[in-house]
Structure formats: structure tokens, C-alpha cells
Amino acid sequence: MYQTFETTGTAGTAGTLPRVAPLARNTETGVRVRLDELARLLSLDVEALGVLAEETFTTRRVHAGESVLLAGDRFEALYVVRSGFLKTVAIDESGGMQVMGFPMTGDVLGVDGLDNGSHTAEVIALDEVEVVIVPFARLARMARICPAVEHLVYRTLSRELVREQRALWMLGSLGAEARVAAFLLNLADRFAGLGYSRTRFNLRMTRQEIGSYLGLKLETVSRALSAFDANGVARVHQKSIELLRPEALRAQVANATHA
Amino acid sequence: MYQTFETTGTAGTAGTLPRVAPLARNTETGVRVRLDELARLLSLDVEALGVLAEETFTTRRVHAGESVLLAGDRFEALYVVRSGFLKTVAIDESGGMQVMGFPMTGDVLGVDGLDNGSHTAEVIALDEVEVVIVPFARLARMARICPAVEHLVYRTLSRELVREQRALWMLGSLGAEARVAAFLLNLADRFAGLGYSRTRFNLRMTRQEIGSYLGLKLETVSRALSAFDANGVARVHQKSIELLRPEALRAQVANATHA
DNA sequence: CGCAAAGTTGAGGGATATCAACGAGTGTGG
DNA sequence: CCACACTCGTTGATATCCCTCAACTTTGCG
């Protein structure tokens, strides 16, 4: 029971329900990623990896619309996004879907499976994606003998928690426009962290997906973006975004006490 | 850098801001709790603890209104609630507070501090509380040599994540009454899990705190509870709750697709 | 070119916040 | 013991925000 993730996993992805929409193909590439590169991906620069630094992990390619992870999948590995953009979707019993997040390069997928051994949320690629497969049993083994890896694991898990807390705070205390503002600022920060422009970027998701994530309807999202455009706060044209006065967006977020 | 939680901690609670309201007194009791009892508290029955089962942890008493943890406190330990009821509060820069959760017996406090080494949320006792102090460095050391403890740590962290995901889903997809319904059902389940009545219990928090947690105003919470009372779904009198038709509450939660 | 999916914009209504008054519970001091 | 103040909770009237429904435009793709 307690060594769930010690099992090496014979076949893998023992999905319960034969899901309809997204297909998960096992397209492992020949590319392998070293542990030290993985740590860099996670923005956790870890010096003392020792010999473990040269341990390598396989990667997997996922095309737009395909899933990395299906709800009900057995938990066996974490996935670290090496490139591309995805969405995490929770599915309730009545078939209702809700977007829980938009992972991108450097983010970790599949953490939710740790608790009960099976995943509760689906992760679907929004464009061409490459993920690093990190079998959890192997990671745990490495953590046991290397404090640096141990720390990496704990911080990674905790970071997800803090991320969700921020989202929770946003949903609880911000009005519609402020939520969209916060969303844009968050995206800007993350793009900047990857070396891309903080002010100009393209959305990879639809208005509906943004709305689902923010607890809003797609029309409301569209209106908020149109309002930003009208006020000269941002230039918005379909999926292309240019932030003209980020301070104005920040002000909206700061002022709003759930309007 | 990477062995943050290996430092033994000279004094502790190096808070940054001299907060006004809650005072955190260092009231360690003489009581010590064994690791195996701790695991039982966490509802993770772990057999193979070996000699570690007899390791013990100190506990601490906190009176109503006092805090277990202040925002900005240095991360050094996790706390497991042994008895009592608390609230977790996030504080934004403009002084706005938001309730993030209502931990009770068996829940874990302080996980948010793992990421950057300092806590971002405050945890305040709503009545007389006793917590078990689990120094993280010591826990990590035990996890390294005992897979059962390792598993316990991972599951504990992941469980928090799943909990927050549920909250996120609720805020995103449920209307006001359904949120209150879900809140009551959740409380009922947790009380039942501790051996208390699933249908009759007393709320320990105010309407305002419930509202803050659910992203609603206190009046809205009050109205929802009054509506339940009027419909014969629940008997509500101030803080005392009796669930008469839980299925009706469950139906409200199931049906509601944000409206 | 024509269709489907995504996005925009408008009008109207419903749900929740806001403002305000009152009632209930609790502790304090006379 | 009772008056008092204070917090918490309830209820009503009104205002506001966001959702709903609907038409239209734009983009992408065969």
C-alpha cells in the first residue's frame, strides 16, 4: 500500500474510463535530458547534484489537442514541460470541465496524482509540447541519497501549492476586469521569466478557456479585453496582446476588493 | 541555500512586520506525541515505521484568537492539528485579508512555507487548539531512512494540493447557495471523519469568515443559510447547524453550473 | 468559396453586492 | 440583577455586476 510509487510500472496509463476526445499517444522521443538541465528548467539552480547530475530522463512529444495525462490515469511520473503550452482541466461527474491552469515551459504536471495514486485532472497540449518524463519512484530514490534533489522535490510540490493559493485569492477577491488584468500580468511575468517579451505575446488559449479558468463567461473576458484596448491600457487583437500600461493593470488588481 | 530547512533554527519566528492583532506565544506543553500516533492523526495508517514509530514530537497550545503562524515567519516546522479549529488567512499588500481554509484535527499547517522558506499565510486559532510541532529538518531526515515516512510526507503535501483544487473548482463553477451547500457538506464530512455527528454541529467561524472563504459577502451567506432553513433542508440557528436533507444540498452542488 | 470555430458587441435580466435598520447573544460594570 | 456597549446575525430595498441570449464579424481551413 504505502510503496505505491515504488512499483516500477509494467505497462502504464491504466486509464479507467475510455475517454472520447483527447488521445494520449506514447510518443517517446530519443532525446534525453540531464538532471542538472531539469533543475535549471525548474528555476531551481542546484549545485550539489554530484554524480546524479548526469542522470538522464526521457522526453515525450505531444501535439496540440492531445493529452499528456488523463483523469483516472495511474500516477507513475511527474512531467516537466520543456517547451510548449498546455491547459489543466478538472472534470466533475456531470461532465462539466473547468480549466485549472495553463502550464508552460518549466512547470510541473501530474502532482495531483500523488495523494491517492491516480490523477484527477487532465492535461492537454495547446500547441506542440515536449515534456520530460520523471518517474516518481526514481526521483524519490534520488532524493533519498541527495539532499539537493530532496529539496528540489519539496520546493516543486510547495510551489504548486502557492500557485493555487494565488489563484484562490484572485477568484475570491477580484472582480471580472481585475481577474483578467491579473491573468495578463501573470502571463507577462511567466513569459518574461523565460526570456520572452513581457509586453508582447500571443495567447494560446481561447476566451472560453480563459473564462473557465477565471470563473467568468467568455463574453465577459472579451469585454474586459476590449475595455483594456479602449482605455489604451493594452492593445488587444484576437490572440495577440500588447501591454501598454502594465501599471494600470496592476492598479486594477490592487484596488479591487471584489467589486 | 539549498539546505534551508537543515538549519536547526536558533530562536525562531523571525517575523518581519511587527503585526498588531494576533500574538504568538511560545506555549509548548510537556506533552509529546509519537510518530505512529501522528500518522493516525493524518489518516495515513502506516505500518512499517520501525523504530521511528517511537520518535516523539512536542506539542503547543494556542488559545482562541492567537496565531500558530504569522505571515513572514521563517519556515521551520509543519504543524499537525491535534485538537481544535482554526482559520488560514492570506494577507495582501493593501492589508486585505482573505480566509483560505478552516483547518481542524488531522490537518496540516504551514506547508506554504516550503517554497521560499517563509510563510505567506497566517493561521489563527478559532478556539482552544493543540498542535504537534514537526520540525521539517527532522521529518526530512526520517523520510530519508524510512520509505513509510517518505510516503507520508509526499501524500500530506499532495493532499493539500487536492484540497485547494477542490476549492478552486467550487469558486469557479458554483453559485452562492451551492457554495454554502458545498461548504456545509464538506464540514459534515470532516466532522464525520473525526467521529462526530455528520448532521449536527456548531460552526466555529463567523458569517464573514465563511463569506471570505467562499468569495461571498456575509449577508449572502446569511441569506443562503436562511433559505436552507426555510426550505427544510437544514435547521440553522446562529452557529448551530442541523442538516435535515443532505441530498438536497448535494443536488444543489451537482446541478449548479455557475449561476 | 464556403463552412466552422472563435471573437466581438448589444440589450435585457438575474444574481449578488451594497446600504441600512433591526434583533440576538455576550460580557462588563454599576 | 439590570443597563450598557459591542459583536454577530438577520432581513429588506436598491444598485451593480455579470450572465444570458442573440446577431454579427473575423479567422482559419477544406
Side-chain angles (χ1 to χ4, degrees):
Chain A
M1 157 59 97
Y2 60 84
Q3 72 274 43
T4 309
F5 44 72
E6 279 295 0
T7 62
T8 52
T10 51
T13 64
T16 52
L17 310 173
R19 290 240 155 264
V20 206
L23 50 152
R25 300 199 308 208
N26 216 356
T27 54
E28 309 210 353
T29 62
V31 185
R32 297 187 70 86
V33 174
R34 284 167 47 121
L35 180 59
D36 52 355
E37 186 183 344
L38 198 65
R40 231 175 304 126
L41 250 185
L42 293 166
S43 303
L44 297 171
D45 39 16
V46 176
E47 312 88 45
L49 289 176
V51 289
L52 265 51
E54 300 182 17
E55 291 271 327
T56 63
F57 298 90
T58 65
T59 67
R60 182 170 141 208
R61 276 197 169 280
V62 183
H63 303 294
E66 294 181 352
S67 70
V68 179
L69 231 45
L70 289 176
D73 275 1
R74 169 113 165 271
F75 173 73
E76 266 157 11
L78 296 176
Y79 301 84
V80 178
V81 183
R82 195 149 102 110
S83 68
F85 212 95
L86 344 220
K87 64 174 174 180
T88 305
V89 180
I91 300 172
D92 68 38
E93 56 291 344
S94 31
M97 319 253 286
Q98 165 150 13
V99 176
M100 304 298 289
F102 296 106
M104 53 193 284
T105 304
D107 290 326
V108 182
L109 315 176
V111 186
D112 64 316
L114 243 158
D115 182 36
N116 53 1
S118 76
H119 294 284
T120 60
E122 304 203 356
V123 185
I124 299 169
L126 291 177
D127 53 16
E128 188 73 7
V129 162
E130 190 179 15
V131 295
V132 183
I133 305 172
V134 184
F136 195 77
R138 196 166 148 224
L139 186 64
R141 225 177 300 126
M142 291 164 67
R144 244 169 268 148
I145 59 174
C146 175
V149 175
E150 177 191 53
H151 190 225
L152 182 145
V153 174
Y154 288 139
R155 282 200 65 169
T156 297
L157 297 184
S158 172
R159 182 174 293 185
E160 288 296 302
L161 248 143
V162 173
R163 228 178 40 72
E164 289 196 355
Q165 278 202 359
R166 255 199 302 276
L168 218 48
W169 173 81
M170 191 186 68
L171 281 188
S173 55
L174 297 185
E177 280 205 9
R179 289 189 204 180
V180 179
F183 173 73
L184 290 179
L185 289 171
N186 180 32
L187 271 188
D189 282 347
R190 295 163 73 195
F191 280 127
L194 296 176
Y196 300 122
S197 166
R198 179 187 294 275
T199 55
R200 292 175 63 99
F201 49 85
N202 284 320
L203 302 176
R204 316 294 164 85
M205 70 295 284
T206 68
R207 301 288 192 263
Q208 173 155 338
E209 287 163 339
I210 299 174
S212 174
Y213 175 60
L214 297 176
L216 301 171
K217 291 292 147 185
L218 64 150
E219 297 98 324
T220 306
V221 174
S222 181
R223 272 184 247 271
L225 292 173
S226 297
F228 293 153
D229 190 286
N231 300 340
V233 171
R235 193 98 256 284
V236 180
H237 185 59
Q238 304 283 107
K239 286 197 159 63
S240 97
I241 303 284
E242 180 178 7
L243 304 184
L244 303 174
R245 300 198 289 117
E247 344 81 53
L249 293 177
R250 260 183 286 279
Q252 283 227 32
V253 175
N255 285 0
T257 321
H258 201 262
Chain B
M1 155 63 93
Y2 61 84
Q3 72 276 42
T4 310
F5 43 71
E6 280 295 0
T7 61
T8 53
T10 51
T13 66
T16 52
L17 311 173
R19 292 238 153 264
V20 206
L23 52 152
R25 300 198 309 205
N26 216 356
T27 55
E28 310 210 349
T29 63
V31 184
R32 298 187 70 86
V33 173
R34 284 167 47 121
L35 180 58
D36 53 355
E37 184 182 345
L38 198 64
R40 231 175 307 127
L41 250 184
L42 294 166
S43 303
L44 297 171
D45 38 15
V46 177
E47 310 87 46
L49 290 175
V51 289
L52 264 51
E54 300 183 16
E55 292 270 328
T56 63
F57 298 89
T58 64
T59 66
R60 185 172 139 204
R61 277 199 166 279
V62 183
H63 302 295
E66 295 181 351
S67 71
V68 179
L69 231 45
L70 290 175
D73 276 0
R74 168 113 165 271
F75 173 73
E76 267 158 9
L78 296 176
Y79 299 83
V80 179
V81 182
R82 195 148 102 108
S83 68
F85 213 94
L86 345 220
K87 64 173 174 181
T88 305
V89 180
I91 300 174
D92 69 37
E93 57 290 344
S94 28
M97 320 252 285
Q98 165 148 13
V99 175
M100 305 297 289
F102 296 106
M104 53 193 284
T105 303
D107 291 326
V108 182
L109 315 176
V111 187
D112 64 315
L114 244 156
D115 182 37
N116 54 0
S118 76
H119 293 284
T120 60
E122 304 203 354
V123 185
I124 298 170
L126 292 177
D127 53 16
E128 188 72 6
V129 162
E130 190 181 14
V131 295
V132 182
I133 305 173
V134 184
F136 194 77
R138 197 167 145 222
L139 186 63
R141 225 177 300 128
M142 290 163 67
R144 246 169 265 148
I145 59 173
C146 174
V149 175
E150 178 191 51
H151 190 223
L152 182 146
V153 174
Y154 288 137
R155 282 200 66 168
T156 296
L157 297 183
S158 173
R159 181 174 294 186
E160 287 297 301
L161 248 141
V162 173
R163 226 179 41 73
E164 288 195 355
Q165 277 201 1
R166 254 201 301 277
L168 220 47
W169 172 83
M170 191 186 68
L171 280 188
S173 55
L174 297 185
E177 280 206 10
R179 288 188 205 180
V180 178
F183 173 71
L184 291 180
L185 289 172
N186 180 31
L187 272 187
D189 282 347
R190 294 163 73 196
F191 280 126
L194 296 176
Y196 300 122
S197 167
R198 181 187 293 276
T199 55
R200 292 175 64 97
F201 48 85
N202 284 319
L203 302 175
R204 317 295 165 86
M205 70 295 283
T206 68
R207 302 288 192 263
Q208 172 155 339
E209 287 163 340
I210 299 174
S212 174
Y213 176 60
L214 297 176
L216 301 171
K217 291 295 148 183
L218 62 146
E219 295 98 326
T220 307
V221 174
S222 181
R223 273 184 246 272
L225 291 173
S226 297
F228 293 153
D229 189 286
N231 301 339
V233 172
R235 193 98 259 281
V236 180
H237 184 60
Q238 304 284 107
K239 287 197 159 64
S240 98
I241 304 283
E242 180 178 5
L243 303 184
L244 303 174
R245 300 199 287 119
E247 344 80 54
L249 293 176
R250 262 183 285 278
Q252 283 225 33
V253 174
N255 285 0
T257 321
H258 200 265

